[in-house]
Amino acid sequence: SYELTQPPSVSVSPGQTARITCSGDTLPKQYAYWYQQKPGQAPVMVIYKDSERPSGIPERFSASSSGTTVTLTISGVQAEDEADYYCQSTDSSGPVFGGGTKLTVL
Amino acid sequence: EVQLVESGGGLVQPGGSLRLSCAASGFTFSSHWMHWVRQVPGKGLVWVSRINGDGSSIRYADSVKGRFTISRDNAKNTLYLQMNSLRAEDTAVYYCARDPGSGSSWFDPWGQGTLVTVSS
């Protein structure tokens, strides 16, 4: 089955830049999406169609793609950004999520 | 405001059944594909099923095919997931989510989730 690979954890200090990668063979052909999930809460979409930011999502959230890897970048990380982040794309079987990355703000 | 509210979760014995509901408001429900996604506590997100706007196109993950049935009542703005032959591995928080892309398979927004526990 198709897989999207994310690092299990990323740690940054407040004000620094966090980068979370997601790798998958079909990413060059399919859009990637990113979701933020805080403890006890439902996921919230922070990036859609590779690099579009929904209204209401802070400008410090951005994303890019290169080949089989997409990257979520959070510039000037704040304490409130500490959460799990999931990438998502689609293959012939349906939507697929990455395993998630826990972002820790030191 | 777009809102999705799930209900129907609870404790059920292995082999039992449960029906989840997702009440939608704040948007034209019949115009949107809808999905169910589940999450074992402490683990990642897993897509379960999706249905198009008029219910004519349905798809399931292999893990639930033949046991779960997705449906919708557009007159009641409600999405359903009928879960039969439940197994311990079906224990999870179940989220409903709207597909903004008319079948492009992305999720925004999500409901708050309802916990299903399969245990004897």
Side-chain angles (χ1 to χ4, degrees):
Chain A
S1 62
Y2 181 57
E3 292 185 353
L4 294 173
T5 302
Q6 299 181 235
S9 63
V10 168
S11 299
V12 296
S13 299
Q16 290 190 325
T17 297
R19 294 180 179 86
I20 300 172
T21 59
C22 172
S23 299
D25 288 341
T26 70
L27 288 177
K29 300 183 289 287
Q30 299 288 343
Y31 282 126
Y33 306 87
W34 289 94
Y35 304 90
Q36 176 195 66
Q37 186 179 34
K38 296 181 179 180
Q41 297 184 19
V44 173
M45 187 180 68
V46 294
I47 294 290
Y48 67 100
K49 292 185 179 181
D50 286 348
S51 60
E52 300 294 321
R53 189 178 60 251
S55 61
I57 300 301
E59 291 184 7
R60 63 181 180 272
F61 287 85
S62 65
S64 60
S65 66
S66 178
T68 58
T69 299
V70 295
T71 302
L72 174 69
T73 300
I74 310 173
S75 304
V77 167
Q78 299 183 7
E80 67 197 50
D81 299 330
E82 186 163 286
D84 293 326
Y85 291 86
Y86 294 90
C87 63
Q88 178 250 316
S89 190
T90 305
D91 77 340
S92 58
S93 299
V96 177
F97 291 92
T101 298
K102 181 175 182 58
L103 176 64
T104 299
V105 182
L106 301 170
Chain B
E1 178 195 5
V2 176
Q3 194 169 15
L4 300 170
V5 179
E6 300 95 335
S7 60
L11 175 63
V12 61
Q13 293 188 338
S17 298
L18 211 56
R19 188 177 83 156
L20 306 183
S21 299
C22 169
S25 60
F27 65 101
T28 305
F29 180 68
S30 61
S31 296
H32 287 270
W33 296 48
M34 297 293 294
H35 298 262
W36 288 99
V37 178
R38 68 184 181 184
Q39 183 175 37
V40 174
K43 301 296 185 182
L45 300 166
V46 177
W47 174 78
V48 173
S49 181
R50 64 94 169 133
I51 185 170
N52 72 338
D54 64 7
S56 62
S57 177
I58 286 172
R59 199 162 189 184
Y60 300 98
D62 287 344
S63 58
V64 305
K65 204 174 296 183
R67 300 187 300 122
F68 289 13
T69 301
I70 190 172
S71 63
R72 64 193 298 159
D73 185 335
N74 287 341
K76 295 182 177 179
N77 288 344
T78 302
L79 175 73
Y80 302 101
L81 187 67
Q82 176 69 43
M83 303 185 296
N84 298 332
S85 303
L86 282 162
R87 308 166 179 167
E89 54 264 36
D90 295 318
T91 294
V93 175
Y94 285 75
Y95 297 99
C96 66
R98 183 184 69 168
D99 187 331
S102 297
S104 299
S105 291
W106 43 300
F107 313 104
D108 181 56
W110 301 57
Q112 86 288 351
T114 187
L115 176 62
V116 173
T117 303
V118 184
S119 175
S120 55

